[in-house]
Amino acid sequence: MLHKRMQPFFLIIPMVAVSLSACSAQGDANQKQGGPAQVGYIIVAEQAVPITTTLGGRTVAFETSEVRPQVNGLIRKRLFTQGSYVRAGQPLYEIDASLYRAAAEQANANLASANASAQAADEKAQRLKPLAEMQAVAEQDYTDARAQARVARAAVAQNAAALKTAQINLRYTTISAPISGRIGRSLATPGALVSANQANALAVIERTDPIYVDMQQSSAELTRLRQSLASGGVGQGSTAVRLKLDDGSDYGFTGTVEFSEMTVNEQTGTVTLRARFPNPKGMLLPGMFVTALFDQAINPAAILVPQSAVLRDFDGSAFVYLAGSDNKAVRRKINAERTVGTNWVVTDGLKPGERVITQGLGTLKQGANIKAVPASSPQRVGAPANTAKASDK
């Protein structure tokens, strides 16, 4: 009795399996015999694109001063803190001023003596003048008196200059900072004998805000750029410069290209370009290696293609697929050497108005039948209709 009730159940299972298998096979057949693949495309057009130049550079202090003595003597005191910021005119070293103070006092005394002699010579000439007019004294005596007065006045000028020189030398016994900036370590200690003609500096002061960045560009690249500018192939770019530090991070301030040297380095074949950057936080130090990026020119007729649309062949050459007028895929080799944002800059291989396929490139081949729609069109997501019907069965 139990066997008879269960028998219909076992007969139903094979029938359902056969029905599902038949529907699945029919769906696969419909999928294989379906219409052309749907792809998305964009229409390329010419547009102005900056030509970004990347150059290696080195930071250079805006101002550099080597502190040296201008008189001879022993250093008595160092008046600054090593590594600190000093201002122009701030005293840095003190040299023993005993001899220079004495020389200034002697020059002052000589000047006073010359002034007294000049005053006496002038008074004598003035007394002889009316007597010479009355012919009470010889005319030659009056002439000699006037000459002696002029000599005395010249001696006053000479002694005044000597006093000024002595005062200057006395002032030089205090060595002051010629510029404002960060001073390095002291290369001389109290008690050291220094001279006005010594080769070694006592200390070095560098001003780093603002700061220069010297960039090296190949003379061949610069020549090609100038030729392109002269022919009108590219337009004049911007002088704004961005920096990347040696760790790859971006420097927060933008600089400006100030000038390009007019000579080529014979050893490296490069030309130096100098840019000026603000450096209020002192992040850039003289001698650092940096990478400079700036838009040296503008290409007014560049073609941009999304990076996802550019494929690479086995030899590394770039190509794209175009949507042909006969609804077939056309493979086209292009020249794409640099990127701008998320796009490749195509310099050869494409013309304005052509349709570049950007979506549906997975199994696309040359000459394949396609249904091209704009890349911005909404795409249908879900199972095909014949598959859905087969599932309903």
Side-chain angles (χ1 to χ4, degrees):
M1 187 68 177
L2 181 60
H3 178 70
K4 290 182 179 180
R5 291 181 181 177
M6 295 180 62
Q7 184 176 4
F9 177 76
F10 290 109
L11 293 175
I12 292 173
I13 293 177
M15 295 177 62
V16 174
V18 172
S19 176
L20 292 175
S21 177
C23 291
S24 178
Q26 184 178 358
D28 292 341
N30 292 335
Q31 187 173 1
K32 291 180 180 180
Q33 296 176 1
Q38 182 170 310
V39 297
Y41 68 88
I42 62 168
I43 300 177
V44 296
E46 293 180 346
Q47 54 185 302
V49 174
I51 301 176
T52 302
T53 302
T54 303
L55 300 175
R58 184 191 290 270
T59 54
V60 180
F62 184 76
E63 290 179 342
T64 301
S65 175
E66 294 183 344
V67 180
R68 284 189 171 88
Q70 294 177 278
V71 293
N72 305 330
L74 292 174
I75 294 179
R76 294 186 58 190
K77 294 180 181 178
R78 174 170 58 84
L79 306 175
F80 67 94
T81 302
Q82 300 178 86
S84 64
Y85 183 86
V86 296
R87 297 189 177 277
Q90 177 179 335
L92 301 178
Y93 295 94
E94 184 179 306
I95 296 177
D96 185 8
S98 303
L99 294 177
Y100 299 99
R101 189 176 295 109
E105 293 174 354
Q106 181 180 1
N108 191 27
N110 292 338
L111 178 60
S113 176
N115 281 325
S117 300
Q119 184 178 0
D122 285 338
E123 291 177 356
K124 182 178 180 180
Q126 291 174 3
R127 285 194 303 268
L128 292 178
K129 182 178 180 181
L131 298 175
E133 292 175 351
M134 294 184 300
Q135 296 182 351
V137 294
E139 185 71 22
Q140 185 63 40
D141 293 339
Y142 174 62
T143 302
D144 292 342
R146 286 195 309 166
Q148 290 176 358
R150 288 195 297 269
V151 171
R153 286 195 295 271
V156 170
Q158 290 177 345
N159 283 278
L163 175 61
K164 193 171 186 178
T165 300
Q167 291 173 340
I168 291 174
N169 289 333
L170 180 61
R171 187 174 73 247
Y172 281 162
T173 58
T174 299
I175 303 176
S176 302
I179 62 173
S180 298
R182 188 75 58 180
I183 191 168
R185 67 183 187 276
S186 176
L187 303 178
T189 60
L193 177 63
V194 296
S195 62
N197 299 320
Q198 69 179 40
N200 298 328
L202 303 180
V204 178
I205 302 174
E206 293 180 319
R207 180 183 173 188
T208 58
D209 184 24
I211 195 169
Y212 287 130
V213 173
D214 287 349
M215 304 165 287
Q216 307 297 324
Q217 185 173 22
S218 168
S219 60
E221 294 180 3
L222 196 58
T223 300
R224 287 196 297 268
L225 176 62
R226 289 177 175 174
Q227 291 175 346
S228 299
L229 289 171
S231 63
V234 296
Q236 185 67 43
S238 172
T239 58
V241 188
R242 305 178 303 279
L243 278 188
K244 284 187 177 295
L245 304 180
D246 51 3
D247 61 352
S249 61
D250 292 328
Y251 182 60
F253 297 93
T254 301
T256 304
V257 177
E258 290 201 339
F259 71 93
S260 171
E261 288 189 349
M262 301 304 296
T263 58
V264 178
N265 189 312
E266 297 179 357
Q267 297 179 348
T268 61
T270 58
V271 177
T272 300
L273 288 75
R274 171 164 284 186
R276 177 175 173 174
F277 283 84
N279 190 31
K281 299 180 180 179
M283 184 178 297
L284 297 179
L285 301 176
M288 290 177 60
F289 285 102
V290 292
T291 302
L293 301 93
F294 63 104
D295 300 334
Q296 201 169 19
I298 296 177
N299 186 352
I303 294 179
L304 298 183
V305 174
Q307 294 185 18
S308 59
V310 178
L311 306 176
R312 294 286 175 177
D313 216 335
F314 293 105
D315 58 356
S317 59
F319 67 93
V320 296
Y321 280 106
L322 305 179
S325 58
D326 55 352
N327 292 326
K328 292 184 180 296
V330 179
R331 176 172 168 168
R332 178 79 60 79
K333 280 194 174 185
I334 61 171
N335 186 10
E337 298 178 351
R338 64 187 182 92
T339 60
V340 174
T342 59
N343 299 316
W344 282 100
V345 179
V346 179
T347 57
D348 188 25
L350 290 179
K351 297 179 181 179
E354 292 186 314
R355 300 183 299 173
V356 176
I357 299 174
T358 60
Q359 298 173 345
L361 295 168
T363 59
L364 205 59
K365 296 181 180 180
Q366 168 70 19
N369 293 324
I370 57 173
K371 180 182 178 182
V373 297
S376 58
S377 299
Q379 301 297 311
R380 182 174 182 178
V381 179
N386 54 1
T387 306
K389 292 180 181 179
S391 301
D392 294 340
K393 294 180 181 180

